[in-house]
Amino acid sequence: MIRSSLSGGEELPTRFAAADLPVRDCVELAAGLASYARRHGIARVEVSGPPAIGDLIEEFGFDEVRFVDAHQGPAVDIAAVPRTWRCGQRGLRCLSDQLVGAAKVPPAADATLSTLAEGSVMQFARHNRLGDALGIVTGLEHYCRDNSVASAAVTGSPILAEVVEVLACERVSYVPSPSEAIAGDALFARSSWSVPWLDRFNHAVTDAFGGRARHRVPPLPLRQVPTPSGQEDVVYCQLDARSSTAPPRDFARRLLSQVAANSEVRVLGGPDTQAYLGQDLTYVRAELHEMVARLLSCRFFVGCDSGLGHLAGCLGVPGLIVSTDDFETTWAFFRGYASLSVIPLSAAEVLLP
């Protein structure tokens, strides 16, 4: 069943089928469907799936949502809608937008073919940090593999060249001076802030050139895994003073002191970070290859929203990301990394003595 929206013209789905979801997802799905119906003036939507959804609808009194065992007509498959909505109230808005878009998205078998030409080069002048480079290279590599694009290239910042060299890319290369290039910065700038970081550029390329998008882009393996020299009892901390998400100095010092009570602490950063945190700490600066080896041999990683945090996530290093900015956005970026946990600054302050 499909109906027009309040603004007219746009047809919105009202039947949804959910796969086997954990209870925590069922809670947000039930709330999200109710929010979706209210936002678009739909009297009632139907959903099928785990019985827990029906129990939650009744418990919370979501009159806009009706649980059914089976639908009498076609239903939007919730499993086909990327699970990027699990982030509170912003998540409910994300889900609402995704459900609206689901009415227009063709089934996977009918997805449009990619129009990205083989050998295309994307140039990046502004997105020139490590985190950006990891997302760009990983997202583009998976896009090319999933859409049978034999090769593509990136150019611009030297960090892109380093990431291409370190990661096991099969289809993405780096070129120093192309004759023609696509404005990659413009593509990245249009990507959604509600999806995990590695998904962002993959979705941006799909929006621009069609084809299939990944909703859970896995990190790329290393081209050459460093030979382990043994596990070090070291915690690397990255609280860069130049970062827009650096924590307050007093909090950073208390956090480092607490970590130092249990392990050796080494702070990743240069002169700016030393001036910010003080000269009485051990600081480390390293090229990307060495940093990969260090992170793989350390005990733990602690940082804020930064490129090294994303690198730790890609490598599977256990760690903690302290969100000093908008928690929902930070969580959305980092939730694709199984080894990392994200907590808001306020929670971290409560836990510190």
Side-chain angles (χ1 to χ4, degrees):
M1 180 178 173
I2 293 180
R3 55 152 291 150
S4 298
S5 67
L6 289 175
S7 59
E10 187 177 40
E11 294 185 329
L12 303 180
T14 59
R15 292 194 181 109
F16 302 94
D20 291 332
L21 300 175
V23 172
R24 65 180 183 181
D25 283 355
C26 290
V27 172
E28 298 203 23
L29 176 59
L33 288 170
S35 175
Y36 164 82
R38 288 193 295 269
R39 182 176 178 184
H40 297 286
I42 301 173
R44 184 73 63 88
V45 297
E46 291 182 355
V47 60
S48 64
I53 297 176
D55 297 338
L56 292 164
I57 291 170
E58 182 177 355
E59 179 179 347
F60 291 116
F62 293 139
D63 297 332
E64 303 87 352
V65 187
R66 175 171 172 256
F67 182 78
V68 296
D69 293 327
H71 300 280
Q72 296 181 351
V76 172
D77 183 5
I78 292 291
V81 177
R83 205 172 303 172
T84 59
W85 36 269
R86 285 195 53 233
C87 46
Q89 291 300 314
R90 174 175 296 179
L92 301 186
R93 293 195 297 273
C94 291
L95 174 61
S96 182
D97 292 340
Q98 290 165 12
L99 295 178
V100 171
K104 310 173 200 175
V105 176
D110 300 327
T112 58
L113 295 177
S114 170
T115 60
L116 182 65
E118 180 180 341
S120 294
V121 180
M122 296 185 184
Q123 186 164 24
F124 299 88
R126 297 184 61 189
H127 293 90
N128 55 7
R129 294 188 173 188
L130 173 59
D132 294 339
L134 288 169
I136 288 166
V137 172
T138 302
L140 184 57
E141 174 70 24
H142 282 293
Y143 176 86
C144 289
R145 294 184 190 181
D146 294 342
N147 292 279
S148 300
V149 178
S151 65
V154 293
T155 190
S157 170
I159 192 61
L160 286 165
E162 293 181 49
V163 169
V164 169
E165 182 181 354
V166 166
L167 300 183
C169 299
E170 299 173 352
R171 307 197 181 203
V172 175
S173 59
Y174 179 87
V175 293
S177 51
S179 56
E180 295 183 5
I182 299 167
D185 286 318
L187 293 180
F188 203 179
R190 293 199 301 268
S191 57
S192 171
W193 284 59
S194 67
V195 298
W197 189 252
L198 298 183
D199 289 30
R200 285 193 70 196
F201 194 64
N202 189 277
H203 284 208
V205 177
T206 305
D207 289 343
F209 299 101
R212 301 176 189 274
R214 285 253 188 159
H215 298 307
R216 296 190 69 178
V217 171
L220 291 171
L222 298 173
R223 189 175 300 279
Q224 183 174 357
V225 180
T227 301
S229 56
Q231 191 77 15
E232 296 182 285
D233 189 21
V234 171
V235 174
Y236 280 108
C237 295
Q238 200 278 331
L239 305 167
D240 195 342
R242 296 176 299 172
S243 170
S244 61
T245 61
R249 183 182 186 279
D250 177 64
F251 167 82
R253 292 286 308 190
R254 286 191 293 133
L255 175 62
L256 293 172
S257 176
Q258 183 70 11
V259 175
N262 300 282
S263 298
E264 181 182 350
V265 171
R266 296 177 190 171
V267 180
L268 306 172
D272 291 341
T273 303
Q274 293 181 40
Y276 156 60
L277 292 177
Q279 303 295 330
D280 57 329
L281 301 168
T282 301
Y283 291 90
V284 173
R285 299 188 76 181
E287 298 297 326
L288 185 57
H289 287 85
E290 181 184 348
M291 186 56 62
V292 166
R294 286 177 176 268
L295 287 174
L296 287 175
S297 65
C298 78
R299 179 179 178 185
F300 202 71
F301 173 85
V302 178
C304 53
D305 182 357
S306 67
L308 285 171
H310 288 289
L311 178 62
C314 288
L315 297 174
V317 177
L320 178 69
I321 303 297
V322 179
S323 171
T324 61
D325 195 9
D326 180 88
F327 173 72
E328 290 179 350
T329 299
T330 306
W331 180 85
F333 284 170
F334 281 86
R335 74 181 186 278
Y337 306 120
S339 65
L340 299 181
S341 297
V342 183
I343 62 171
L345 178 63
S346 57
E349 288 179 324
V350 169
L351 296 173
L352 288 178

